[in-house]
Every structure is written in structure tokens, then in C-alpha cells.
């Protein structure tokens, strides 16, 4: 169904960013506009998902050019769900930023760039054009580069160079793959490409193009062996920025892989084998990397990599049940990883360090806050019936149905590694005897903040913790959506029909 309003999540974020630029000198007004704008964006995304569920796939042809000749925007259940998750994370980070981002960074344009980043993420999820996806990726890279460098600290600049270098390489590979694909089919519309790629006789060239897409998206998703940029960069910016990065940026690559490798390149035995091996090695390398870390944010960075492997495993199995598991885990991971990086920011504000060796006694000093922080930590482990359990359960069932015992072993290994890592972190940070740490002059500690800022930081963590509990205890509802998404990915005929009208 044609609906011009499906691009409203994108246009509204642009409107908020421009409005914030006109409030450049008033930092308090910027914070208010950002939070109110994020609330409205959340409402828009909820209405979009409801519209899609009630009326089916919504499309919009930019400039009135019919598909496949113009730029198409498509809102199906998958893209609308991710736009909603983007709005949820955006709201949480916006509120957390009110309490945690220094005024100097606000004056350098933090809030406008944050909303431009969210705009780019929403556009990437809604586009139905493969080249337009590349354009949205570039907007995301530019916005995230500015965010990661605001403040100009040495660690930030070093992390930014690694981040941008690898992501630009991914963009080059991605653009090369698009050029070859256009040469093969003469089309850039993803629904049309689904039909045209199937007609190409040179299957060898099609497979080479598919591998190029896999490499390009693999770098952006931080899969093995293309993940080294992530733990070198995600721990360098302020926690609010790390939260939006850890929750959403790598998930754009996962979304792109799930979309492209179900709609355009239907995986054959070779591709599913390659993807499965990459998934297993990603789980292993991320888990082992996290074991070796002492910095809380580096631990979470490596766990991002480990758990990307779970989502990739669903694509490797390539069944409705496994894809549903990947989608469910994607929903859980966005919420929990965003929350965990904000939790690390709270710990830093209270104790003045991210080092597990120097931390301790947190539960004794902050018992209620510790219990709050336990929700995302234990959700990450996947203790039943918390949110991390259900996605892995679906993945294991999918792997059992395909008799992939080795992959089941790696999923269980990744789960046990996560359990051991979080148990170690809990012991070091919360249960160990407290350490006496000298106060650092350049840090404004939590007890020195104004009440409004304290409430803002805590409210963000509470919001996502409640949502995480809702995903776990309301798993049936989320599972129903995940199964719908998986069914649509396995049979994209409704998507093609909605876009092309054929």
C-alpha cells in the first residue's frame, strides 16, 4: 500500500536536528528539544508499526517515480520494528545525555549530530533501494565520526581513526559490489533485484558479488575476522555515545545481511556454510576477547562481537525458526547493549574508573542501583525467563532441526563464556571489597551532579531495564513478531508485490 508518511521517522529526525542547530547557544533548550523530539519520534515509530501490522507492507515512491526506476522506501514488519527500536534507544540515550554529556560537548553540536545519526539509522532500515542503503550508511559514518571525536581527547581520536578507516573500507567494498550488481541486472531496487538476480546465468559472478556484500556488511557488523576496529574504538567516547554505538551501529550491518541475503542472494550450500563458519568464529573470538579484558566497556565491546555471532548463526541455518531466533536476539541485544553502556557510565560517574581491578564494593555502597544494574547484566547472560534466553532457544531449536550439532556447541559455548564473564564482572565490581580510590579533579562525580541530571541518568537505565524485562516475560508477543518477520524473509513475495505491484 502506498503511504507517503512512512518516511516521517526520517524527516522528523532531520527537523529535530535543524531545530537544535538554531538553539546552538542555549544548552538547556537543546536538551529539552532533544528529549521532547525523541518522545515524539517514539510515538511516530509506534504508529508506523501498528499501521504495518494492521494494513500490511507500506511503500513510498520518492518523487512519484514508479518502482524500479525511482527511490523506494518500504516499511514492512522488520524495518518498522527496527525503526521502533532505534527510537527507543534514541530516547534513552537522549535522556541519559542530559545528565552525562558535558556542556562543552553540547556546545560543539552533540545533540544535532545525535539526531542526524538516528535519522541515518532510520533511513537505512526503511530504504528499498540498495544504493540508497549505501547513502544512509555514509550518513551514519559521518555522524558517528563526529560524535566519536567530540571532545578531541587522544584516545577518542585514535579510536576514531580505526573506526573510520575500517568503515570506509567497508563502504568501498559495498559500493564495488553495488556497481557489479547494477552491471549484472541494470537495477538498484531491492525488490526488482530479487527477480533480476535469479535470471542471471553467470552464477559464479553472482556468488562473487554476494561475497563482496558479505565482506562489506561483515565489517560493519564486526564479524570474524573483520571486527578489530570495534573494541579499539567503542570504549573511547563518552558512555552516551558508546551506548548508541553499541546498541545500534553494528545492528545496521546485521539488518542489511538479513535483508540482502534473503531477498536478493538466496544462500546456497556454499554461502550458508561460509556464514555459519563466520558465526561460530565470531562467537568464539568475541567471547575469548571479553575474557581478557579489565575495562568494563571493553568487556561489553567484545561481547557485542560475540553476540553478533548468534544473529549471524540464524542466517547460516537459514530456516524460519532460526531467522526468528536471530530477529528475537536482535531485539534483545539492541535494548540490553544500549543499557549496559549506560550502566558503565553510571559506574564511572560514581567510582571514577572503568577498571574492574580498581572497582569493588558497589553492592555494599549502592544496593538498589546494583539490583537495577543486575537486570541488563543477567538478561545478557540469558537466564530464563529473561530476554536473552528466548532468542538462543529458537536458534538452538533451528540448529537441531538442521542437524547442525557443531553450531549448537558454539552457541552453548558463547552462552557459557558470557555467563563466566558477567559472573567475573559482578564479583569484581559489585561483591569484591571496596577499594579506596582518590578523586580525580577532571571528573564530575555522580554525587556532585544536580538532582535533575541524576534522575535523567537513572531514568534511562530504569526505562530500558523495564523494557528488557518486558521482552523476557512477554516473550510470546515478541516471538510472534519475530516469526512474522522470519516468515516474510523466507518468502519475500509479499515484499516484492508491495513494491513492484506485480
Amino acid at each position: 500500500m502506498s503511504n507517503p508518511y512512512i518516511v516521517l521517522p526520517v524527516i522528523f529526525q532531520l527537523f529535530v536536528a535543524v531545530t537544535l542547530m538554531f538553539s546552538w547557544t542555549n544548552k538547556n533548550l537543546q536538551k529539552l528539544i532533544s528529549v521532547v523530539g525523541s518522545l515524539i519520534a517514539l510515538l511516530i515509530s509506534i504508529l508506523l508499526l501498528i499501521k504495518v501490522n494492521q494494513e500490511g507492507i507500506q511503500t513510498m515512491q520518492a518523487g512519484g517515480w514508479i518502482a524500479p526506476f525511482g527511490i523506494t522506501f518500504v516499511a514492512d514488519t522488520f524495518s518498522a520494528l527496527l525503526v521502533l527500536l532505534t527510537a527507543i534507544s534514541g530516547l534513552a540515550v537522549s535522556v541519559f545525555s542530559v545528565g552525562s554529556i558535558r556542556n562543552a560537548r553540547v556546545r560543539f553540536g552533540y545533540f544535532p549530530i545525535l539526531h542526524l545519526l538516528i535519522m541515518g539509522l532510520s533511513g537505512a532500515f526503511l530504504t528499498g533501494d540498495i544504493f540508497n542503503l549505501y547513502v544512509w550508511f555514509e550518513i551514519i559514518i559521518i555522524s558517528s565520526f563526529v560524535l566519536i571525536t567530540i571532545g578531541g581527547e587522544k584516545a577518542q581520536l585514535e579510536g576514531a581513526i580505526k573506526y573510520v578507516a575500517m568503515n570506509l573500507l567497508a563502504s568501498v567494498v559495498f559500493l564495488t559490489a553495488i556497481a557489479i550488481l547494477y552491471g549484472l541486472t541494470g537495477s538498484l531496487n531491492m525488490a526488482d533485484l530479487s527477480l533480476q538476480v535469479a535470471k542471471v546465468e553467470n552464477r559464479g559472478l553472482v556468488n562473487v558479488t554476494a561475497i563482496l556484500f558479505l565482506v562489506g556488511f561483515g565489517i560493519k557488523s564486526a564479524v570474524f575476522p573483520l571486527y578489530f576496529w570495534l573494541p579499539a574504538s567503542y570504549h573511547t567516547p563518552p558512555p552516551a555515545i558508546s551506548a548508541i554505538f553499541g546498541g545500534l551501529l553494528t545492528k545496521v550491518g546485521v539488518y542489511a545481511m538479513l535483508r540482502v541475503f534473503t531477498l536478493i542472494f538466496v544462500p546456497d550450500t556454499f554461502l550458508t556454510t561460509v556464514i555459519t563458519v563466520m558465526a561460530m568464529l565470531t562467537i568464539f573470538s568475541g567471547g575469548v576477547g571479553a575474557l581478557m579484558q579489565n575495562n568494563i566497556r571493553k568487556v561489553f565491546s567484545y561481547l557485542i562481537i560475540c553476540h553478533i555471532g548468534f544473529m549471524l548463526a540464524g542466517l547460516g541455518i537459514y530456516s524460519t525458526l532460526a531467522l526468528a531466533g536471530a530477529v528475537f536476539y536482535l531485539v534483545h541485544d539492541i535494548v540490553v547493549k544500549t543499557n549496559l553502556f549506560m550502566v558503565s557510565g553510571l559506574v564511572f560517574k560514581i567510582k571514577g574508573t572503568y577498571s574492574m581491578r580498581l572497582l569493588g564494593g558497589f553492592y555494599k555502597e549502592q544496593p538498589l542501583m546494583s539490583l537495577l544494574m543486575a537486570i541488563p547484566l543477567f538478561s545478557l547472560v540469558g537466564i530464563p525467563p529473561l530476554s536473552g534466553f528466548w532468542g538462543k532457544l529458537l536458534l538452538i531449536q533451528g540448529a537441531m532441526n538442521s542437524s547442525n550439532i557443531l553450531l549448537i556447541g558454539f552457541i552453548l559455548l558463547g552462552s557459557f563464556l558470557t555467563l563466566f564473564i558477567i559472573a567475573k564482572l559482578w564479583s569484581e565490581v559489585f561483591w569484591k571489597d571496596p577499594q579506596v580510590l582518590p578523586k580525580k579533579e577532571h571528573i564530575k562525580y555522580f554525587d556532585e551532579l544536580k538532582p535533575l541530571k541524576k534522575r535523567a541518568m537513572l531514568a534511562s537505565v530504569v526505562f530500558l531495564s523495564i523494557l528488557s524485562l518486558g521482552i523476557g516475560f512477554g516473550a510470546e508477543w515478541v516471538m510472534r513478531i519475530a516469526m512474522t518477520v522470519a516468515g516474510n524473509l523466507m518468502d519475500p513475495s509479499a515484499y516484492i508485490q508491495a513494491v513492484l505491484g506485480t
Side-chain angles (χ1 to χ4, degrees):
M1 178 181 291
S2 180
N3 182 356
Y5 296 106
I6 65 170
V7 293
L8 196 55
V10 179
I11 294 172
F12 183 74
Q13 292 292 348
L14 178 61
F15 170 76
V16 173
V18 172
T19 305
L20 285 163
M21 290 177 187
F22 282 101
S23 311
W24 198 276
T25 56
N26 191 330
K27 61 183 185 301
N28 291 326
L29 182 58
Q30 282 197 54
K31 293 174 182 178
L32 178 62
I33 291 171
S34 178
V35 173
V36 173
S38 297
L39 278 168
I40 296 171
L42 177 58
L43 178 61
I44 291 170
S45 62
I46 292 171
L47 293 174
L48 177 62
L49 183 59
I50 292 171
K51 186 82 170 176
V52 171
N53 283 338
Q54 290 178 345
E55 300 181 11
I57 298 172
Q58 309 287 303
T59 63
M60 195 278 278
Q61 311 295 343
W65 289 86
I66 62 170
F69 304 107
I71 295 173
T72 302
F73 288 88
V74 187
D76 63 351
T77 306
F78 193 19
S79 56
L81 175 64
L82 283 170
V83 168
L84 173 59
L85 290 167
T86 300
I88 288 169
S89 291
L91 173 61
V93 170
S94 180
V95 174
F96 189 82
S97 299
V98 170
S100 65
I101 293 294
R102 293 181 182 178
N103 290 333
R105 286 191 169 95
V106 175
R107 285 193 290 269
F108 276 110
Y110 168 79
F111 282 107
I113 298 301
L114 173 64
H115 285 274
L116 287 174
L117 174 62
I118 297 170
M119 179 195 76
L121 291 163
S122 301
F125 294 135
L126 288 170
T127 187
D129 181 280
I130 195 74
F131 183 78
N132 203 230
L133 179 61
Y134 164 79
V135 173
W136 290 117
F137 273 2
E138 294 308 293
I139 292 172
I140 292 167
I141 290 173
I142 293 167
S143 303
S144 55
F145 177 73
V146 176
L147 285 176
I148 205 172
T149 54
I150 284 179
E153 296 176 6
K154 181 181 177 182
Q156 285 182 259
L157 296 175
E158 184 180 342
I161 293 299
K162 296 171 183 175
Y163 169 80
V164 170
M166 287 303 294
N167 275 275
L168 287 179
L169 174 62
S171 295
V172 171
V173 174
F174 183 23
L175 190 58
T176 303
I178 291 172
I180 297 171
L181 190 60
Y182 182 72
L184 286 171
T185 63
S187 180
L188 294 170
N189 183 284
M190 289 197 280
D192 189 48
L193 283 169
S194 180
L195 303 176
Q196 299 303 325
V197 167
K199 298 176 184 177
V200 176
E201 294 181 2
N202 190 341
R203 303 314 297 176
L205 191 53
V206 169
N207 284 335
V208 169
T209 309
I211 292 295
L212 286 175
F213 276 106
L214 185 61
V215 171
F217 294 147
I219 294 174
K220 292 183 181 294
S221 304
V223 303
F224 180 90
L226 310 166
Y227 65 84
F228 296 100
W229 59 271
L230 191 152
S233 58
Y234 273 24
H235 70 286
T236 58
I241 298 172
S242 294
I244 200 77
F245 282 18
L248 286 170
L249 288 198
T250 50
K251 310 311 181 299
V252 184
V254 173
Y255 166 82
M257 277 196 280
L258 290 173
R259 179 69 78 188
V260 168
F261 286 98
T262 54
L263 181 63
I264 301 173
F265 302 103
V266 178
D268 55 15
T269 304
F270 171 73
L271 267 179
T272 53
T273 302
V274 170
I275 292 169
T276 301
V277 171
M278 288 175 68
M280 292 188 294
L281 293 175
T282 301
I283 291 169
F284 179 76
S285 55
V288 172
L291 276 174
M292 308 298 291
Q293 302 306 312
N294 175 58
N295 182 298
I296 296 176
R297 290 204 290 176
K298 281 195 172 184
V299 169
F300 294 153
S301 295
Y302 273 101
L303 286 177
I304 290 173
I305 298 163
C306 177
H307 299 154
I308 290 293
F310 292 153
M311 302 169 217
L312 199 60
L315 184 59
I317 299 167
Y318 200 69
S319 68
T320 302
L321 196 60
L323 286 174
V327 172
F328 196 111
Y329 204 87
L330 180 63
V331 173
H332 144 82
D333 203 67
I334 289 172
V335 173
V336 169
K337 289 296 194 317
T338 303
N339 205 6
L340 284 175
F341 278 98
M342 294 194 299
V343 164
S344 72
L346 268 176
V347 171
F348 181 78
K349 277 289 186 182
I350 293 168
K351 305 290 283 187
T353 182
Y354 292 109
S355 171
M356 290 194 293
R357 291 193 199 97
L358 299 178
L359 287 165
F362 203 91
Y363 182 79
K364 184 177 181 180
E365 297 169 7
Q366 303 282 347
L368 291 178
M369 198 179 294
S370 297
L371 292 175
L372 173 64
M373 293 176 177
I375 295 172
L377 287 168
F378 295 159
S379 295
L380 186 70
V381 174
I383 297 172
L386 297 180
S387 57
F389 170 74
W390 302 106
K392 284 185 279 190
L393 179 63
L394 289 173
L395 287 170
I396 290 171
Q397 288 177 336
M400 287 179 67
N401 291 343
S402 65
S403 302
N404 198 332
I405 305 302
L406 185 60
L407 182 56
I408 293 173
F410 272 89
I411 292 171
L412 293 175
L413 174 63
S415 301
F416 284 120
L417 283 172
T418 303
L419 173 62
F420 182 82
I421 291 159
I422 296 304
K424 176 186 172 186
L425 186 149
W426 184 264
S427 175
E428 290 286 315
V429 176
F430 295 88
W431 277 351
K432 189 177 68 180
D433 290 336
Q435 309 244 7
V436 179
L437 299 174
K439 286 211 168 187
K440 301 173 184 175
E441 293 183 3
H442 66 282
I443 297 174
K444 193 166 187 179
Y445 286 84
F446 189 76
D447 56 7
E448 299 170 353
L449 296 175
K450 295 178 181 178
L452 176 64
K453 292 189 173 184
K454 291 180 182 178
R455 293 192 194 104
M457 294 178 73
L458 286 171
S460 301
V461 175
V462 170
F463 169 56
L464 290 187
S465 296
I466 292 172
L467 183 60
S468 181
L469 287 174
I471 294 170
F473 287 97
E476 183 180 356
W477 180 79
V478 183
M479 203 170 291
R480 192 179 302 122
I481 292 181
M483 289 298 291
T484 299
V485 172
N488 293 338
L489 291 175
M490 290 296 292
D491 179 15
S493 56
Y495 183 100
I496 298 167
Q497 168 72 24
V499 174
L500 301 178
T502 57

